[in-house]
Amino acid sequence: MEFEELYQDVILDHSRRPRNFGELPDATVHVHGDNPMCGDEINVHLKFGPDDTVEGITFTGNGCSICMASASLMTTKVKKKSRSEAEAMMHTFQDMLTAEEEKPPGMRLGDLELFKGVRKFPLRVKCATLAWHALEEALQKKV
Ligand code: ZN
């Protein structure tokens, strides 16, 4: 597989026009994540709803296209999900990229499966998982 194949249309589109990009005025959780190897730096802003759902989630910062696209897709996927659904998705995504043995994902990830090709590029794995690590930290905060 060529490196260019990583940059499929959906990933390019999300990196150029990131969704949920910007501050979240009533966010109760803010998490910073950085990936010095590449220079990616993002902040995830999250607000939990009364029923423990991810009521709102946005991100700010700067990163390479893989990082920005992954953060953008992450916010669209976990918004309105319950904390446990968001956690399950996060673990499935991280497993898809980092598990020793490649295996079919435990749940359907839709567009997120486009990132599977990143497995073969260890330096890029950190770019693709940065936003998810930030999400992991955010989900652990009980607010
Ligand atoms: Zn990067």
Side-chain angles (χ1 to χ4, degrees), residues 56-102:
I57 181 165
T58 65
F59 75 105
T60 50
N62 237 309
C64 65
S65 42
I66 293 282
C67 167
M68 295 302 272
S70 174
S72 172
L73 271 160
M74 182 276 284
T75 60
T76 65
K77 293 287 180 184
V78 305
K79 200 170 177 177
K80 305 297 178 198
K81 295 278 193 301
S82 71
R83 194 190 293 257
S84 57
E85 283 171 328
E87 268 169 2
M89 190 173 284
M90 170 198 80
H91 287 305
T92 307
F93 184 80
Q94 289 179 350
D95 275 357
M96 179 177 78
L97 291 192
T98 61
E100 204 86 359
E101 294 264 321
E102 205 174 329

Side-chain angles (χ1 to χ4, degrees), residues 30-36 39-44 60-63 67 126 129-135 137:
H30 301 270
V31 173
H32 177 78
D34 62 12
N35 172 23
D40 307 318
E41 262 193 76
I42 61 160
N43 294 288
V44 169
T60 50
N62 237 309
C67 167
K126 287 194 162 58
T129 54
L130 180 63
W132 294 85
H133 283 302
L135 173 71
E137 205 179 311

